[in-house]
Amino acid sequence: NIIPVSNNFQGIGWSGTATVTPNDGIGPDGLLSADLLTDSSGSFEARQISITIPNDSANYCASIFVEKGAGDCLLSMRLNGGTNLRTDVSLNRATGVVTPASGTARALGAKDCGNYWWLWISAPNDSSGNTTGLFYFAPATTGGGAGTGSAHVWNAQLEAGIFPTSPIVTTGTAATRQGDRWTETPFTYYSEVSGTKSVKCEVMPECIEAWNGESTDFLVMTHLSDNTFTERVWFNSRPDVSLEQIRMKLDAATGGHQYNSQSGWNGETTVVCGWDNTDLTSYRDGVFEETVVTATGMPLGCNRMDIGALHNNARHMAGWIRRVKYWSTRLSDTQLQEESST
């Protein structure tokens, strides 16, 4: 997050005519940490902050948590100094519907986070001399026009990328979230002797993005391995424009297999697979994907699970994994289908 003071909207660097009542409401962190922003004149009273950015062609993403309620609000990201690029979106605080207001967003959305919407937009820079990134938020609008009202907000974030990473609260300097993963090793919750496994991964793929600029490579959601990469199976995705492809790949000392889901998907997705000594079968959202039948090459020695990365940190994902489940037995095809439907 390159905004140095992200959760104090009257802190250093912030300006604007919207009235700020600090720490007036319970934020998404469960603390009295949300500021109340008020527009009392109906003239686009807002809060804004400018930050230096490189003269590059990278994507930039602006995000903020906005409390649910009546009326609309406006989030704007402006890249200034060269061609002066501007992208605005309007959020209906009652329904969570996000509507483009100006410019062309690379991505936009609002995630339901309990009492808040996590609102974001992204757009690319164009190497034309835009070296100032401006984050602008108006708490009360009406159909894209000026309005009056108030909204509790929490943690303004501006970062390189197409989608927001998890919230990074700053109190004086910019901060970087490192690539995270959850690791369980040795993975002793199921029997390795039988070589029969099933695993389920629920993801929100509209928020999958590469770490470290790996925009053309695969991103790991769930990875099971034997700690040497000799035997492994994983779910991954390609972060292309459509975000429509999910892949599962199986490698072993005697061979490997991979296959692609060809149907498009955006939104929440559940993938389940089961394998034993002879075959691997998967379902996605209740629909059969493929069965791989082979007498050799099935992974029988996986004892480590990584969620959100490979265990050598070569691939990360930025996004939301809702849940991962695993079984010590190969579920039946009927069970696989049922699990992928829930």
Side-chain angles (χ1 to χ4, degrees):
N1 187 0
I2 61 177
I3 296 177
V5 180
S6 65
N7 202 36
N8 178 359
F9 290 83
Q10 57 183 6
I12 296 174
W14 286 93
S15 63
T17 56
T19 302
V20 181
T21 306
N23 299 326
D24 183 73
I26 302 298
D29 58 355
L31 304 175
L32 193 64
S33 58
D35 287 1
L36 182 70
L37 306 187
T38 301
D39 183 339
S40 57
S41 70
S43 57
F44 282 107
E45 294 182 351
R47 301 301 293 176
Q48 64 185 51
I49 188 169
S50 295
I51 309 99
T52 299
I53 61 173
N55 178 26
D56 58 16
S57 59
N59 289 291
Y60 286 88
C61 179
S63 63
I64 188 172
F65 288 81
V66 184
E67 189 178 32
K68 294 177 180 178
D72 300 340
C73 60
L74 182 76
L75 173 62
S76 176
M77 182 180 67
R78 306 171 191 181
L79 309 179
N80 296 330
T83 53
N84 296 328
L85 305 173
R86 174 174 174 174
T87 306
D88 300 351
V89 292
S90 175
L91 168 69
N92 184 314
R93 293 175 54 209
T95 64
V97 173
V98 181
T99 304
S102 68
T104 301
R106 173 71 172 80
L108 55 87
K111 175 175 170 55
D112 189 338
C113 296
N115 293 327
Y116 282 79
W117 300 110
W118 189 5
L119 172 65
W120 77 86
I121 53 172
S122 66
N125 204 353
D126 63 0
S127 302
S128 68
N130 296 318
T131 56
T132 298
L134 185 143
F135 183 105
Y136 174 101
F137 180 80
T141 58
T142 303
T148 60
S150 301
H152 283 107
V153 295
W154 188 83
N155 198 52
Q157 192 152 308
L158 184 63
E159 58 192 308
I162 301 173
F163 301 104
T165 58
S166 59
I168 306 169
V169 178
T170 58
T171 57
T173 58
T176 300
R177 174 184 182 269
Q178 300 300 317
D180 291 341
R181 73 175 187 273
W182 177 88
T183 298
E184 178 65 36
T185 181
F187 192 46
T188 57
Y189 295 101
Y190 53 52
S191 167
E192 286 300 322
V193 177
S194 66
T196 59
K197 316 283 186 298
S198 297
V199 65
K200 170 180 178 177
C201 187
E202 301 175 35
V203 298
M204 298 190 67
E206 73 272 19
C207 294
I208 294 174
E209 186 192 358
W211 285 99
N212 302 323
E214 299 171 32
S215 59
T216 60
D217 215 331
F218 65 82
L219 309 171
V220 175
M221 293 179 286
T222 303
H223 179 235
L224 297 101
S225 73
D226 63 354
N227 246 353
T228 66
F229 286 127
T230 302
E231 297 182 1
R232 52 185 168 161
V233 66
W234 69 85
F235 300 116
N236 60 11
S237 172
R238 299 193 74 89
D240 56 10
V241 174
S242 61
L243 293 172
E244 290 181 345
Q245 189 176 65
I246 190 167
R247 302 190 303 167
M248 185 183 301
K249 184 172 181 180
L250 178 143
D251 278 345
T254 54
H257 183 84
Q258 70 178 36
Y259 59 91
N260 298 332
S261 167
Q262 299 299 329
S263 54
W265 50 278
N266 277 296
E268 192 168 336
T269 294
T270 299
V271 184
V272 181
C273 77
W275 67 96
D276 55 26
N277 293 333
T278 59
D279 72 69
L280 180 150
T281 299
S282 72
Y283 283 80
R284 179 172 61 84
D285 297 331
V287 179
F288 171 75
E289 287 281 304
E290 185 172 345
T291 294
V292 180
V293 179
T294 176
T296 60
M298 287 293 143
L300 305 180
C302 295
N303 61 3
R304 172 176 179 147
M305 173 180 276
D306 293 88
I307 299 176
L310 291 175
H311 69 66
N312 67 349
N313 274 323
R315 300 288 186 270
H316 284 279
M317 66 165 289
W320 295 304
I321 301 175
R322 183 186 301 278
R323 178 171 58 172
V324 173
K325 293 175 64 176
Y326 43 86
W327 294 263
S328 61
T329 184
R330 200 290 202 182
L331 300 182
S332 68
D333 288 1
T334 299
Q335 291 172 313
L336 292 173
Q337 184 177 27
E338 291 175 349
E339 283 291 336
S340 73
S341 302
T342 59

